[in-house]
Amino acid sequence: FLETVEDIMKECQYFKRWLCLEESAAEFTISTIELDMRNEIRNYARTLQAPEYKSTLNNTIQLQLPSAKSLTEYYESHPELTEYTMKKELSRMDYTVHTKDGKRITKPSQIQAYQKEINGKNDLLWRCSNQSILGDVVAALTSSNGLIRPQMEAGTCVDYISLVVDFRNKEPFVRVECFMNVSIPCNTEIRLALAGVLVMVYFCPGQQKFLGQVTRVFPCPSLTENQVNAAAESLSYYSYQPTKIKTGSPKFQPFSACMMEQGDEWKE
């Protein structure tokens, strides 16, 4: 019996030593991941600050944006989006509607009344006059080396959005301007802002034109070492223990909404 107990104690000592080695290896792995994250965060920030990055983003949008025909077919198959625009979006976004007779209306009640007045004419424009019109552009900007990087847990927060529906021309159109903030996790309470981006979208079903464009990129000031280290610690922790990721909306201080400066014009 004594020999058995001694054997067990020896086995326990061996196990403890093995466990310590495993823990040390785990700590080393986490540190390596965190170091890689620091470098990736710095590269991400440098990319956003590069003067040519706006052109890179726009080239990507042009390559990936669906055709106007495809978009038209999508909205033709979703008549319920007119009601969504009228009941949900009018109170959440800044709308300007230019009526066929040249009036400019902005109040939700006025826009709803005008939509009923024209009685289904150009209904396709009402169907696309909501945030869905931005979906394809956001998708084009999302990739491992894009503006929104999933591997970095990057996310966007809309700081400002305005939508113009113009019936004055022979071929009515919708134009959207949106200011988005791009951020990554920094700790459990706040996200680290990396850039603000002004995006514009133009859709004219009659002319079969669908255009998307990043008109300005506003990179944040150079990140401090403390910011980089905090974000890397957060990202490496989540990558090592993915079940620890918390759901919900973290606190975030966005950029102030920035309008287009003089000389920045919409290019068709």
Side-chain angles (χ1 to χ4, degrees):
F1 176 78
L2 288 176
E3 289 180 358
T4 305
V5 171
E6 289 176 358
D7 289 341
I8 292 173
M9 290 180 67
K10 287 179 180 178
E11 289 294 329
C12 287
Q13 290 175 354
Y14 292 143
F15 177 73
K16 287 180 180 178
R17 291 173 187 171
W18 174 82
L19 189 61
C20 288
L21 290 173
E22 285 293 304
E23 289 175 349
S24 299
E27 288 175 4
F28 176 76
T29 303
I30 294 172
S31 298
T32 302
I33 292 172
E34 189 171 328
L35 184 61
D36 290 341
M37 284 293 181
R38 291 180 186 181
N39 292 331
E40 195 163 352
I41 290 168
R42 293 189 186 99
N43 290 335
Y44 193 2
R46 277 195 293 267
T47 300
L48 293 172
Q49 292 172 350
E52 69 276 7
Y53 191 55
K54 185 181 78 170
S55 297
T56 301
L57 293 176
N58 285 327
N59 289 338
T60 301
I61 291 172
Q62 288 181 13
L63 289 172
Q64 297 190 22
L65 211 61
S67 66
K69 181 182 178 182
S70 297
L71 196 68
T72 300
E73 291 173 351
Y74 171 79
Y75 286 115
E76 284 177 343
S77 65
H78 289 81
E80 73 281 0
L81 287 174
T82 295
E83 184 178 1
Y84 177 76
T85 297
M86 292 296 121
K87 293 187 176 181
K88 299 289 186 180
E89 295 286 67
L90 287 182
S91 60
R92 296 194 292 205
M93 294 161 50
D94 291 331
Y95 279 80
T96 300
V97 174
H98 297 284
T99 66
K100 194 172 182 65
D101 56 358
K103 293 179 182 177
R104 180 179 181 273
I105 55 177
T106 57
K107 293 181 180 179
S109 59
Q110 294 174 323
I111 296 171
Q112 289 169 340
Y114 183 68
Q115 187 265 335
K116 291 178 181 178
E117 179 186 327
I118 61 178
N119 193 26
K121 293 180 180 179
N122 293 302
D123 193 55
L124 204 67
L125 289 184
W126 300 117
R127 297 181 194 182
C128 71
S129 295
N130 50 62
Q131 293 186 54
S132 68
I133 195 71
L134 292 164
D136 291 306
V137 173
V138 173
L141 295 174
T142 304
S143 68
S144 60
N145 60 350
L147 175 69
I148 306 163
R149 304 187 179 185
Q151 79 275 19
M152 303 293 290
E153 299 289 337
T156 58
C157 173
V158 175
D159 195 22
Y160 165 83
I161 183 169
S162 69
L163 193 147
V164 174
V165 188
D166 198 327
F167 293 97
R168 293 173 296 181
N169 298 329
K170 182 179 178 181
E171 301 293 350
F173 63 85
V174 172
R175 186 177 69 247
V176 183
E177 181 181 83
C178 176
F179 189 88
M180 297 187 299
N181 303 280
V182 180
S183 66
I184 58 175
C186 190
N187 55 44
T188 56
E189 296 297 327
I190 198 168
R191 293 179 67 87
L192 179 62
L194 296 180
V197 181
L198 189 62
V199 175
M200 294 188 74
V201 173
Y202 174 91
F203 180 43
C204 179
Q207 294 181 341
Q208 285 294 280
K209 277 189 177 181
F210 178 40
L211 307 171
Q213 189 178 73
V214 173
T215 59
R216 292 296 301 272
V217 178
F218 301 88
C220 68
S222 298
L223 300 178
T224 66
E225 281 300 308
N226 287 339
Q227 289 174 322
V228 171
N229 293 346
E233 182 180 359
S234 179
L235 287 167
S236 61
Y237 178 72
Y238 289 157
S239 65
Y240 189 72
Q241 302 188 55
T243 57
K244 296 293 185 180
I245 298 177
K246 295 184 177 181
T247 58
S249 301
K251 295 178 182 177
F252 178 66
Q253 295 181 341
F255 286 81
S256 299
C258 297
M259 299 297 293
M260 295 177 69
E261 295 182 1
Q262 187 175 4
D264 293 320
E265 298 178 353
W266 172 253
K267 299 176 182 178
E268 295 189 11

